[in-house]
Amino acid sequence: MKAYNMDKLKLFTTGFMQVFFVSANTYFVAKEEYLGVAGASFMISFIWTYNVKRVAFGGFMDKLIYAAGASSGALAGLAVGKMMF
């Protein structure tokens, strides 16, 4: 059971991180912050390499957990991007 919960936490975290950077990147593009765009876009692609297989072949609950992490990451990415600039 502990390994199952850890897998779900990892799934939530990768969803969170990826969309965190998508959200921040959108803010950076709007503000023409080139260094922010470069860093965030790199991280989006790097994190995606970990998500592709896990989400595509996961079950319904995996997809829900990933989506919850992604929506939380979007809100956090916007907040952090706004605080930075």
Side-chain angles (χ1 to χ4, degrees), residues 10-18 47 50-51 54 66:
K10 287 179 184 177
L11 186 60
F12 179 92
T13 301
T14 57
F16 179 95
M17 293 304 297
Q18 183 173 357
I47 294 166
Y50 289 95
N51 289 343
R54 193 176 328 170
Y66 179 83

Side-chain angles (χ1 to χ4, degrees), residues 25-38:
N25 196 42
T26 302
Y27 191 82
F28 296 149
V29 168
K31 297 293 182 182
E32 296 183 31
E33 296 292 339
Y34 292 94
L35 188 58
V37 170

